[in-house]
Amino acid sequence: MKRVYGILLLVLLGTVVLNGTALAASEYIEQLTPDSADYAEISTLTNRVLDAMSGMCADVTAADIDWSRAYKVYADESDVYGSYKEQQMTYDEIKQQMEYYVWVLPVQVKNTYFHVTISQGMPLTEDETVLAVLTEEQKEQIREDTGKWIPVETEQLDEDKTAERIEQQIADAVGKKNIHRAFVMGGSPKLRSAVAVVETIDRDIQIVLLEEPRSNGVQVTEEQTGSDSESSTENIIIWMILGAAGIGIGCYAWNRARCK
């Protein structure tokens, strides 16, 4: 009987853990799940994310990559933010204007936090300036990545900016009980910061500022010397070039809106 009770206790504990995990997921912000259309492709990118992060964090491992933490950020190339009130647009109408999106993957390595942006690669640029610094191998890689999901940017953050954290910001701004639906938008031509577009239970639209405007791009977090430094610098440059040349339109709009 003790063994049976022990098994039942383990089952109950497992249920609590699973329920705790489910409750920890964001209720409103769209996250990457096995049911997501992009999941099959994106979930295979762990090694490429590790390569992209290697120049910034030598301690990152596959165990640090949790794809369930990735969340969707829509890119606004039109001026939806500036015109939605004048046009009296509904939540659905605003979201329909979002033609492009990226996936943002929060990664925590010990007490350090990162964001890896996953975007669809564009065709090889015709810009001779860019082509001049690309090797044939890099050009071929860009051709191969065209239309595929790839990591295009890594940045270090001061905090673990997750979907759950964003949801808490929304709740703090408009009240948890007032939220009906929400999605994250990567700023707009007139607002250089990420925002959440929120529909309240009264069908009103609220725009919640999620971050202060800040600079973008690859940041080096550790100083190295000798050949290791040269190798690290070379890797960073390569990733910057590949990101610039292969970045999708959606990620371009996302980055442009967030740049100072």
Side-chain angles (χ1 to χ4, degrees), residues 135-202:
T135 66
E136 289 303 317
E137 182 179 358
Q138 291 164 355
K139 293 176 184 177
E140 183 56 34
Q141 182 67 64
I142 292 172
R143 294 188 186 99
E144 184 179 335
D145 287 337
T146 299
K148 298 179 181 179
W149 288 101
I150 55 174
V152 295
E153 182 191 35
T154 301
E155 61 179 327
Q156 183 175 342
L157 306 179
D158 295 329
E159 61 180 348
D160 195 14
K161 194 75 169 184
T162 63
E164 292 77 26
R165 171 59 183 152
I166 290 173
E167 188 168 287
Q168 185 59 54
Q169 288 181 271
I170 296 172
D172 291 343
V174 304
K176 174 70 173 178
K177 295 181 179 179
N178 292 326
I179 304 172
H180 179 227
R181 295 183 290 178
F183 69 88
V184 181
M185 181 176 74
S188 77
K190 289 187 178 180
L191 182 67
R192 301 181 181 276
S193 181
V195 301
V197 179
V198 184
E199 182 185 56
T200 68
I201 57 175
D202 295 325

Side-chain angles (χ1 to χ4, degrees), residues 185-245:
M185 181 176 74
S188 77
K190 289 187 178 180
L191 182 67
R192 301 181 181 276
S193 181
V195 301
V197 179
V198 184
E199 182 185 56
T200 68
I201 57 175
D202 295 325
R203 298 301 187 269
D204 291 330
I205 302 298
Q206 299 284 340
I207 304 296
V208 178
L209 186 67
L210 298 177
E211 63 183 7
E212 295 299 325
R214 52 195 172 92
S215 60
N216 227 350
V218 178
Q219 303 173 21
V220 181
T221 58
E222 296 182 1
E223 294 184 3
Q224 299 181 358
T225 58
S227 59
D228 288 341
S229 177
E230 294 176 1
S231 175
S232 176
T233 302
E234 180 180 352
N235 288 335
I236 292 171
I237 292 173
I238 289 173
W239 274 106
M240 290 178 70
I241 293 172
L242 291 177

Side-chain angles (χ1 to χ4, degrees), residues 111-127:
N111 294 321
T112 308
Y113 309 105
F114 301 90
H115 264 181
V116 180
T117 302
I118 312 293
S119 176
Q120 288 182 302
M122 286 185 68
L124 183 64
T125 181
E126 297 182 359
D127 189 328

Side-chain angles (χ1 to χ4, degrees), residues 22-59:
L23 290 173
S26 173
E27 186 175 351
Y28 304 105
I29 306 304
E30 184 174 351
Q31 293 179 267
L32 190 68
T33 71
D35 294 329
S36 303
D38 305 320
Y39 182 85
E41 182 178 350
I42 290 180
S43 62
T44 65
L45 297 176
T46 297
N47 287 338
R48 294 200 63 169
V49 169
L50 294 177
D51 289 342
M53 293 185 64
S54 62
M56 299 180 66
C57 181
D59 296 330

